[in-house]
Amino acid sequence: MEDLINLSFNTAKTHGATYTDVRIAKFKTQSIAIKNGKVEEILDSESYGFGIRTIVNGAWGFASSFNVNKREVQKIAALSCNIAKASASLKNKSVILSPVKPLKGNYETPMTIDPFTVPLEDKLSILSETEEIMRKKNGVKISEASMNFVLKDQIFANTEGAWIKQKIMMSGAGIEATAIGEGDMQVRSYPNSHGGQFITGGYEFINTLRLKDNAEKVADEAVALITAKECPSKKTTIILDGSQLGLQVHESIGHPVELDRVLGTEASFAGTSFLTPDKLGHLKIGSDIVNITADATIPTGLGTFGYDDEGVPAQRTDIVKNGLFVGYLNSRETAAETGQLPNGAMRADGWNRTPLIRMTNVNLLPGKPSFEELISDTKDGVYLETNKSWSIDDKRLNFQFGTEAGWEIKNGKIKRMLKNPNYTGITPKFWNSCDAIANEDSWIVWGTPNCGKGEPMQVIQTGHGTSPARFRNIQIGVGK
Amino acid sequence: MISKTKMEKILKEILEMSPADQTEVLLISQNSALTRFANNQIHQNVAEKNAKLSIRVIKNKRTGTASTNILNKSSIKGVLEKALKIADNASPDPDFKSLPKKKKCTKMELFSKNTAEYQPIDRVKDVSVLISKANQKELNAAGALSTGEITIGIANSLGVFEITSLTEADINTVFMSSNSSGYADSYAKEVRKIDFHKLADTASEKALKSIDPIAIDPGSYTVILEPAAVADMLTYLAFCGLGALAYQEGRSFLSGKLGEKITGGNITIWDDGTSPDTLGMPFDFEGTPKQKVMLIENGVAKNVVYDSYTAHKDGRESTGHALPAPNIYGPQPSNLFLKNGDYSVDEMIASTKKGILVTRFHYTNMEDPLKTMLTGMTRDGTFLIEDGEISCGIKNLRFTQNILKALSNVEMISEETKLKQASFGFCLAPALKVKDFNFTGVTEF
């Protein structure tokens, strides 16, 4: 590998590069899904290749290939420089990278059991037994159970002297029951929707999920939702469960603090951000109890790693402190542009993509009351659980989320179930209405394995540590 | 790129090597490049060479699939062994009948040498047309131009053996002032057929016309949806219910409703991957020829699309809409068409006393697939129509709307159609004038 990397550096230099970095990576993936008593998917896949990023004449170029050999490395390094030269012919300013210490390092996701060593029949057995419990419930028409594992094995090096090896393992699993009847369709999932819960870690995590123990409850609730009362349309107090709140943090805080969006480079696709630089240190984005960090160092977070794809070490950054907006996620380039220090948020979803600013683990820090106290302290409201749909405008202000289930809260107690709940709001107003966050006993780092951004599209894994929280005077039941 | 000759050799070798009852090999080779610009300069410029080999084997009705992009002999052998091992562990699927047999595919010319050989400096020249216009109008342009070629080979042990090469060029752009924006896009097989000057004019005109937008109250409005917004809506409609898997599982809005009137009589929707008016291909990812499938005709639900698995289950023939195996979505429409009408967008505007013109939607998502309840935002050119004229730009609105109801309320359909990207392919859509469209919220810009 060292030969190939040095060859890429030398080739790029002869083509005018003033900076070069290389990533050589292999991705190994296993997806298993059981549906309605049958194997829906078992897929083992791998992807191997390299990408070379260069700066020539003050502009970026990037090229990549799946042919990992000397001749191809020379061709791709030259192509990357050729692309950079073309970029330079249409630039207003030169790329400047904020200086970082070139690091030599090695990081591996801590784990006990490598998922790829676990026999397929063991995984199928857990999934089949779990799925069968849901399938046997009257009214359940679709029952699904799945597991996913991804290993990213990568070397990063740059011409400043950085040389970093990383092995990052993602493990996840989930179950879902769909009830159909009376002209309606209702879904319940566990531990989360969209495939379940995901972490960085090994197969030992799967056993902690207790999928089988939760299958009956999931099936029961899906069926119960068919005859549940429709969520009313009104302004009320809502309590969001941790998984839904994780997505709320993701969409309304995580994306708007990506500095590339803020500076306009995602404008045509994902959009820009309401958190313009003049608001840094000035906008009260949330109530005093709202504290949010971006932290790539916490154990098991799906956005946990050793170094980002520019060789910047994983770190914790304050994003919101006592309700005040205080920090962005950045890259070496955007840090230099705005006078900040790089905070390690540049990641690519594969060897064939150039890195973008991505969320790490963007976490809402826990508050004081227990979850039970949060409920008992609420006279009238709705508890909303598990994301079903999500939508937010291109500056990340107006959002609307739907959840799988809702429950009335009356005089401090959870009462009857509500179906088709949704809620809407404007980001700063919403976070300023937060008056209670549950404590660390119910704080979980939820994994979002499918965050899309960029052109060509890149799908990355992010984490969101949250505990349930309460928001006042929120519009629910939109479109009823 | 992997040459067609080499691809043929790899496909044949794997089929010969496999001891399975049935074997399918899918090999995709692609070269692609993309130039991204924002703040009137290029900020990202990339190229990729990649491939994907996927092997599906069936042993006693047990299926295993494995894939790789490492194409040396030992890796290919290893992938086949992995697929066989997976099949050994899988439970038999009584609903699996067979992989498809060979059928004759339509010949289609899908390849443009110009697009395949487009160079970084060529893309810069095109992008500079947009940036020059933006500079001239004191606007800020962002967007992406991509060009690429792809060769797809699919073969199975029952005689299917298809290889085709195609090219595609895509451009999208947003022009922005300090408080407004305008959007334009184009998709073509031949990059030189894209009119970058026209795109720049469209995007700049929309951005300039919507400067200083006013806020209007949410509510029920007559709306004119331009083709990008219509295509977005149809994409979700297709994803939620126009494929046979969703239909068979009862989670499609069409389940049990084929033959019933579900939209206005002026709505006809079909899928046709072999039409020269779209960017299609002659066969699906099982090598079955793509057929034209009438989905909704004069408002009546007619059909869903099939792959071989779902077709066997319903005692039908595959319509050529398989995605690469294994896939959890089932067969999907990939080249949608909504029948055009007789009007121009100008005539639609002129006929509207009070309404809203929408350029495109943003971040749409289905809240209730069975009831086709969709939410999303407007974006990049939302205008108020008063007394038959566009009066001003308005701040973006959130809609929460039942799609089938919207398609039951279509008052006018444009004659002109435009090709737009959809989740699994493309959609050729006209503009629609729709009454009683529900806007449920407003944002701050």
Side-chain angles (χ1 to χ4, degrees):
Chain A
M1 284 306 157
E2 198 166 343
D3 284 1
L4 293 177
I5 288 168
N6 287 331
L7 182 62
S8 74
F9 290 167
N10 293 335
T11 309
K13 196 175 175 186
T14 60
H15 284 84
T18 52
Y19 170 88
T20 303
D21 64 35
V22 181
R23 283 175 297 114
I24 303 176
K26 187 181 248 185
F27 287 75
K28 200 172 159 186
T29 306
Q30 185 174 63
S31 307
I32 309 166
I34 303 284
K35 186 179 189 180
N36 293 344
K38 292 188 288 195
V39 173
E40 187 190 33
E41 174 185 52
I42 306 177
L43 174 64
D44 277 12
S45 62
E46 60 184 2
S47 177
Y48 181 47
F50 68 96
I52 300 175
R53 192 172 68 142
T54 55
I55 298 176
V56 183
N57 300 337
W60 285 116
F62 176 83
S64 62
S65 175
F66 70 113
N67 284 320
V68 186
N69 59 57
K70 283 186 180 176
R71 193 160 159 256
E72 188 74 351
V73 162
Q74 285 176 306
K75 277 168 72 177
I76 293 297
L79 176 60
S80 179
C81 293
N82 186 21
I83 289 171
K85 284 173 194 164
S87 306
S89 68
L90 209 53
K91 72 176 167 78
N92 300 327
K93 60 188 176 197
S94 293
V95 173
I96 295 168
L97 298 180
S98 182
V100 293
K101 191 179 165 192
L103 297 171
K104 296 192 189 308
N106 201 330
Y107 174 86
E108 289 192 18
T109 300
M111 64 177 167
T112 312
I113 307 167
D114 179 347
F116 292 97
T117 64
V118 177
L120 186 56
E121 52 264 42
D122 292 1
K123 296 165 183 165
L124 285 167
S125 163
I126 292 176
L127 293 175
S128 299
E129 288 169 19
T130 306
E131 184 273 333
E132 188 180 8
I133 295 169
M134 295 187 291
R135 184 167 22 102
K136 286 189 170 166
K137 171 78 184 174
N138 271 344
V140 169
K141 291 287 162 61
I142 306 168
S143 45
E144 298 166 87
S146 61
M147 285 185 198
N148 286 278
F149 307 99
V150 180
L151 173 66
K152 173 186 174 184
D153 187 351
Q154 177 177 285
I155 296 176
F156 166 89
N158 70 18
T159 45
E160 295 170 347
W163 189 283
I164 291 160
K165 280 185 170 185
Q166 294 198 89
K167 276 189 184 179
I168 296 169
M169 180 72 79
M170 180 191 94
S171 297
I175 60 174
E176 186 176 294
T178 303
I180 301 173
E182 301 180 25
D184 197 9
M185 177 168 75
Q186 294 293 334
V187 178
R188 280 301 274 150
S189 312
Y190 170 83
N192 198 357
S193 48
H194 316 304
Q197 167 67 327
F198 297 84
I199 64 154
T200 52
Y203 193 77
E204 64 280 2
F205 169 67
I206 302 300
N207 297 324
T208 68
L209 286 175
R210 298 171 58 219
L211 295 176
K212 210 171 148 184
D213 295 346
N214 285 277
E216 194 164 346
K217 182 170 180 262
V218 166
D220 286 346
E221 288 186 359
V223 174
L225 276 167
I226 293 287
T227 50
K229 188 189 166 198
E230 190 79 21
C231 179
S233 178
K234 62 178 180 178
K235 281 196 170 179
T236 189
T237 295
I238 64 168
I239 294 175
L240 299 181
D241 84 311
S243 64
Q244 171 56 35
L245 192 52
L247 194 62
Q248 178 78 50
V249 169
H250 179 101
E251 301 290 3
S252 66
I253 302 288
H255 278 305
V257 301
E258 296 162 346
L259 201 45
D260 51 358
R261 286 186 71 119
V262 174
L263 298 177
T265 53
E266 294 291 323
S268 65
F269 185 61
T272 56
S273 172
F274 73 99
L275 288 174
T276 46
D278 55 300
K279 296 194 174 70
L280 186 66
H282 299 288
L283 178 71
K284 193 80 179 1
I285 195 174
S287 61
D288 290 350
I289 61 167
V290 174
N291 288 286
I292 295 174
T293 61
D295 190 348
T297 68
I298 54 174
T300 76
L302 205 53
T304 298
F305 46 81
Y307 307 84
D308 77 353
D309 286 338
E310 291 191 314
V312 178
Q315 53 200 272
R316 170 179 164 137
T317 302
D318 284 325
I319 300 294
V320 178
K321 212 165 184 180
N322 301 326
L324 191 67
F325 164 51
V326 295
Y328 286 115
L329 292 161
N330 67 29
S331 59
R332 291 184 66 186
E333 183 183 6
T334 56
E337 201 173 335
T338 53
Q340 300 176 27
L341 292 173
N343 57 17
M346 283 288 271
R347 284 190 292 159
D349 81 347
W351 52 265
N352 53 346
R353 296 284 181 268
T354 192
L356 300 173
I357 297 173
R358 305 310 299 255
M359 280 174 250
T360 54
N361 302 298
V362 181
N363 309 313
L364 174 67
L365 302 187
K368 287 181 181 162
S370 67
F371 174 61
E372 291 74 22
E373 286 166 342
L374 195 61
I375 298 290
S376 64
D377 180 49
T378 303
K379 200 173 172 210
D380 183 63
V382 177
Y383 175 54
L384 300 172
E385 207 174 37
T386 320
N387 179 262
K388 189 158 83 173
S389 70
W390 63 103
S391 173
I392 189 163
D393 73 40
D394 57 289
K395 287 187 195 293
R396 303 271 149 178
L397 280 163
N398 181 309
F399 61 80
Q400 185 161 307
F401 291 97
T403 63
E404 289 182 353
W407 278 267
E408 282 179 348
I409 305 171
K410 291 279 180 208
N411 299 317
K413 292 205 163 33
I414 288 180
K415 299 285 185 184
R416 63 182 167 172
M417 197 181 226
L418 300 170
K419 71 176 171 184
N420 303 324
N422 64 6
Y423 67 98
T424 190
I426 298 288
T427 298
K429 198 176 166 195
F430 178 79
W431 284 104
N432 273 288
S433 78
C434 180
D435 76 340
I437 302 169
N439 65 21
E440 59 204 16
D441 292 346
S442 50
W443 199 81
I444 292 170
V445 187
W446 295 95
T448 303
N450 54 357
C451 174
K453 182 178 175 180
E455 292 172 288
M457 173 61 83
Q458 299 193 41
V459 176
I460 211 98
Q461 297 77 42
T462 69
H464 304 288
T466 53
S467 48
R470 185 171 64 197
F471 300 84
R472 299 290 193 184
N473 201 28
I474 304 300
Q475 178 67 51
I476 63 168
V478 186
K480 305 286 179 189
Chain B
M1 290 293 290
I2 300 169
S3 67
K4 283 189 178 178
T5 315
K6 191 176 175 191
M7 197 172 265
E8 264 182 42
K9 189 168 172 276
I10 294 172
L11 296 176
K12 278 180 186 163
E13 278 175 2
I14 296 169
L15 290 178
E16 281 165 15
M17 212 189 310
S18 175
D21 301 341
Q22 294 187 357
T23 303
E24 176 188 84
V25 189
L26 171 65
L27 181 54
I28 299 172
S29 167
Q30 63 178 329
N31 283 1
S32 56
L34 183 143
T35 300
R36 257 183 134 188
F37 54 102
N39 301 316
N40 292 351
Q41 67 168 351
I42 289 171
H43 66 94
Q44 181 189 313
N45 209 346
V46 300
E48 176 189 358
K49 288 163 77 173
N50 204 354
K52 187 174 182 180
L53 169 70
S54 184
I55 303 175
R56 173 162 59 149
V57 297
I58 291 97
K59 292 171 79 180
N60 299 321
K61 290 185 179 275
R62 300 166 193 260
T63 301
T65 314
S67 75
T68 186
N69 72 343
I70 306 169
L71 299 180
N72 59 48
K73 280 195 173 169
S74 67
S75 168
I76 290 171
K77 193 166 171 258
V79 170
L80 176 60
E81 283 166 2
K82 212 180 271 183
L84 291 164
K85 197 176 163 196
I86 289 170
D88 287 338
N89 280 286
S91 52
D93 181 351
D95 289 328
F96 178 85
K97 294 283 184 294
S98 173
L99 292 173
K101 289 179 185 157
K102 184 169 176 59
K103 284 187 176 174
K104 202 178 171 195
C105 292
T106 313
K107 284 220 161 162
M108 295 172 70
E109 188 43 70
L110 305 169
F111 190 82
S112 152
K113 198 165 177 281
N114 284 331
T115 306
E117 293 177 358
Y118 226 49
Q119 296 300 307
I121 202 67
D122 298 324
R123 292 196 302 278
V124 167
K125 278 181 196 159
D126 292 336
V127 166
S128 72
V129 171
L130 301 169
I131 289 179
S132 298
K133 182 76 173 193
N135 279 326
Q136 185 196 328
K137 299 284 182 184
E138 295 183 342
L139 295 169
N140 179 351
L145 168 61
S146 67
T147 52
E149 62 175 312
I150 183 164
T151 299
I152 300 168
I154 177 90
N156 73 25
S157 51
L158 301 181
V160 166
F161 206 101
E162 303 290 346
I163 298 178
T164 192
S165 293
L166 51 102
T167 54
E168 193 181 311
D170 303 345
I171 170 76
N172 69 72
T173 188
V174 173
F175 279 31
M176 293 165 283
S177 75
S178 61
N179 61 18
S180 67
S181 57
Y183 176 77
D185 63 19
S186 188
Y187 307 89
K189 171 181 79 179
E190 163 59 80
V191 65
R192 294 196 198 281
K193 287 200 172 161
I194 292 176
D195 187 340
F196 290 89
H197 292 279
K198 193 176 167 191
L199 289 170
D201 288 343
T202 303
S204 63
E205 192 186 333
K206 280 181 181 287
L208 292 169
K209 262 190 181 172
S210 55
I211 280 177
D212 297 333
I214 62 163
I216 64 164
D217 290 333
S220 178
Y221 288 88
T222 290
V223 67
I224 295 169
L225 303 175
E226 291 197 351
V230 174
D232 201 354
M233 209 163 71
L234 293 186
T235 294
Y236 276 90
L237 195 72
F239 182 64
C240 290
L242 296 176
L245 186 66
Y247 181 79
Q248 290 169 347
E249 289 179 347
R251 58 184 169 83
S252 162
F253 57 90
L254 283 187
S255 296
K257 289 186 181 162
L258 285 181
E260 289 182 21
K261 192 149 189 285
I262 58 165
T263 69
N266 54 357
I267 298 298
T268 294
I269 298 169
W270 68 94
D271 190 86
D272 186 3
T274 62
S275 166
D277 297 327
T278 187
L279 296 176
M281 53 188 271
F283 52 85
D284 69 1
F285 288 96
E286 291 183 317
T288 301
K290 283 190 165 289
Q291 290 174 24
K292 180 177 176 178
V293 180
M294 188 56 71
L295 301 162
I296 298 170
E297 190 169 27
N298 301 323
V300 177
K302 287 289 182 185
N303 289 294
V304 291
V305 298
Y306 287 91
D307 56 11
S308 67
Y309 181 89
T310 52
H312 286 141
K313 215 172 162 185
D314 275 2
R316 309 259 311 237
E317 293 282 307
S318 168
T319 56
H321 290 86
L323 298 180
N327 94 84
I328 56 172
Y329 305 113
Q332 291 290 327
S334 45
N335 296 96
L336 283 165
F337 291 76
L338 174 55
K339 191 180 174 188
N340 62 345
D342 304 319
Y343 299 96
S344 67
V345 171
D346 287 343
E347 285 170 326
M348 291 180 181
I349 294 168
S351 70
T352 305
K353 183 153 179 58
K354 187 173 184 186
I356 292 166
L357 175 70
V358 175
T359 298
R360 69 162 169 157
F361 292 142
H362 172 79
Y363 223 134
T364 42
N365 208 328
M366 202 56 102
E367 290 204 333
D368 186 337
L370 206 58
K371 297 187 177 75
T372 67
M373 189 62 86
L374 189 73
T375 190
M377 295 296 303
T378 66
R379 183 179 174 183
D380 299 328
T382 311
F383 300 92
L384 183 65
I385 303 166
E386 290 178 303
D387 299 323
E389 288 181 353
I390 288 178
S391 57
C392 60
I394 55 174
K395 291 187 178 179
N396 287 299
L397 294 159
R398 169 170 296 287
F399 68 93
T400 308
Q401 173 67 47
N402 177 314
I403 302 177
L404 291 180
K405 270 191 188 163
L407 293 177
S408 300
N409 287 338
V410 174
E411 295 182 328
M412 297 167 89
I413 303 176
S414 72
E415 186 177 10
E416 187 185 18
T417 53
K418 287 186 179 167
L419 190 65
K420 300 291 168 187
Q421 212 153 27
S423 52
F424 292 100
F426 291 90
C427 176
L428 192 75
L432 300 178
K433 180 179 170 182
V434 182
K435 69 174 180 183
D436 300 333
F437 196 85
N438 290 315
F439 290 104
T440 53
V442 60
T443 191
E444 296 179 357
F445 59 95

